[in-house]
């Protein structure tokens, strides 16, 4: 039997990927995927183009990766990315919060760009923001690409390592959505939620197991176990946690085009886990008509 291949976490040019939503679904089909989710940061603006461009045989799971925060044990907050799938994109509370977040992203990226320009780095805040649409979710990869274009660094990865990562001076925090609120909003909008790369510690402090247990009680559907930023031991730990809490386990590439070196479909979700995820959503994936 031919195995169904499912990648539930990808980004397009609508956020910080480098392939348009139309190219992304074609690339997914060419890579032999059967199911692809489009999960741009804090926006659903790519859904329509992806649906219109859908090659025959590929199923699209419309989604988003929501920028959230959770309380940490020491009273501070940790950044949490929440994958949301198959929700009503017009749900009023969600629309308002996503608009606030996109404005917050622009504000924060401008502050970062201004700090960098003030230190003499080749970054023009107006130019970086001007290149993005007025409602685009501005992010650090957009600054990273400006540094690559200026010849200061060779790759986006190098820009993060030298200038944009935590503790490198230019990272400015954002006011993100409390993750419990985001889960409620998505459930209200008929969708399902999966914690993205929950234990990816290279990105900074991570959410605790206790908080994940609370979110499971609250209505979280799953956790991303197989992700390029999780090592084998982390995957084993998350798999055990998911089984203890009755959460769906997903696997996904977090493809960002040439902004990252990974390939689409390099991590995938087991078909039975995908079915378990769909069973909790009120909408179904989209197929080419
Ligand atoms: P932001 O949303 O502005 O905080 O930027 C975070 C985004 O940068 C995430 O979506 C990551 O995909 C991306 N990112 C983080 N670290 C790296 C890296 N080392 N190389 C390329 N992209 C990265
Ligand atoms: Fe990203
Ligand atoms: Fe993420
Ligand atoms: Zn992502």
């Amino acid at each position: 039997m031919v195995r169904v291949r499912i990648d539930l976490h990808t980004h397009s040019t609508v956020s910080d990927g480098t392939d348009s939503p139309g190219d992304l679904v074609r690339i997914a089909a060419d890579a032999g995927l059967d199911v692809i989710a489009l999960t741009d940061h804090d926006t659903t603006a790519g859904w329509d183009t992806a649906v219109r461009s859908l090659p025959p045989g590929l199923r699209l799971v419309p989604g988003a990766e929501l920028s959230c925060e959770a309380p940490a044990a020491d009273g501070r907050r940790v950044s949490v990315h929440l994958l949301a799938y198959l929700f009503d994109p017009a749900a009023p509370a969600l629309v308002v919060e996503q608009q606030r977040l996109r404005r917050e992203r622009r504000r924060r990226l401008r502050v970062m760009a201004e700090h960098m320009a003030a230190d003499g780095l080749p970054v023009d805040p107006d130019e970086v923001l001007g290149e993005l649409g007025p409602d685009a979710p501005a992010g650090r990869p957009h600054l990273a690409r400006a540094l690559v274009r200026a010849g200061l660094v060779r790759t986006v990865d190098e820009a993060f390592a030298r200038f944009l990562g935590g503790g490198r001076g230019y990272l400015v925090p954002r006011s993100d959505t409390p993750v419990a609120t985001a889960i409620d909003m998505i459930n209200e909008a008929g969708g399902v939620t999966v914690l993205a790369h929950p234990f990816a510690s290279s990105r900074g402090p991570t959410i605790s197991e206790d908080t994940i247990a609370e979110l499971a009680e609250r209505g979280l559907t799953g956790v991303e176990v197989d992700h390029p930023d999780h090592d084998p031991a982390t995957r084993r730990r998350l798999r055990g946690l998911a089984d203890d809490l009755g959460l769906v386990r997903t696997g996904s590439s977090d493809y960002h085009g040439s902004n990252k070196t990974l390939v689409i479909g390099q991590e995938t979700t087991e078909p039975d886990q995908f079915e378990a995820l769909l069973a909790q959503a009120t909408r179904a994936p989209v197929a080419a008509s």
Side-chain angles (χ1 to χ4, degrees), residues 192-212:
V192 291
T193 51
V194 172
L195 279 184
H197 47 75
F199 292 161
S201 50
S202 62
R203 295 162 177 250
T206 56
I207 190 169
S208 70
E209 293 194 9
D210 286 349
T211 306
I212 296 179

Side-chain angles (χ1 to χ4, degrees), residues 81-151:
H81 289 181
L82 184 72
L83 292 163
Y85 302 112
L86 298 164
F87 55 89
D88 174 5
L94 191 64
V95 167
V96 169
E97 176 60 5
Q98 295 279 279
Q99 279 170 346
R100 183 195 70 79
L101 259 175
R102 291 193 296 271
R103 277 198 301 274
E104 171 70 359
R105 279 180 163 276
R106 279 185 92 78
R107 179 202 67 77
R108 172 263 205 166
L109 208 72
R110 180 172 286 284
V111 174
M112 288 182 69
E114 284 171 355
H115 288 172
M116 294 167 84
D119 282 354
L121 294 173
V123 171
D124 178 340
D126 289 329
E127 194 180 305
V128 171
L129 289 165
E131 276 169 0
L132 301 168
D135 198 31
R140 282 179 283 165
H142 300 118
L143 272 179
R145 290 191 82 82
L147 296 179
V148 172
R149 277 199 307 273

Side-chain angles (χ1 to χ4, degrees), residues 163-266:
F163 302 107
L164 301 171
R168 301 293 186 287
Y170 294 108
L171 177 62
V172 168
R174 246 186 351 233
S175 152
D176 289 338
T177 313
V179 64
T181 306
I183 290 171
D184 289 351
M185 280 179 181
I186 295 297
N187 285 339
E188 189 79 10
V192 291
T193 51
V194 172
L195 279 184
H197 47 75
F199 292 161
S201 50
S202 62
R203 295 162 177 250
T206 56
I207 190 169
S208 70
E209 293 194 9
D210 286 349
T211 306
I212 296 179
E214 286 168 22
L215 297 177
E217 284 284 312
R218 182 100 179 197
L220 173 73
T221 303
V223 283
E224 198 174 51
V225 172
D226 293 312
H227 182 280
D229 293 352
H230 288 157
D231 63 22
T234 301
R235 295 175 191 217
R236 277 195 298 278
R237 187 174 145 220
L238 262 169
R239 198 172 294 270
L241 184 67
D243 290 345
D244 288 348
L245 298 174
L247 292 169
V248 169
R249 294 177 265 109
T250 68
S252 302
S253 67
D254 203 354
Y255 177 75
H256 280 70
S258 62
N259 272 347
K260 288 188 180 178
T261 50
L262 51 86
V263 298
I264 200 163
Q266 81 172 50

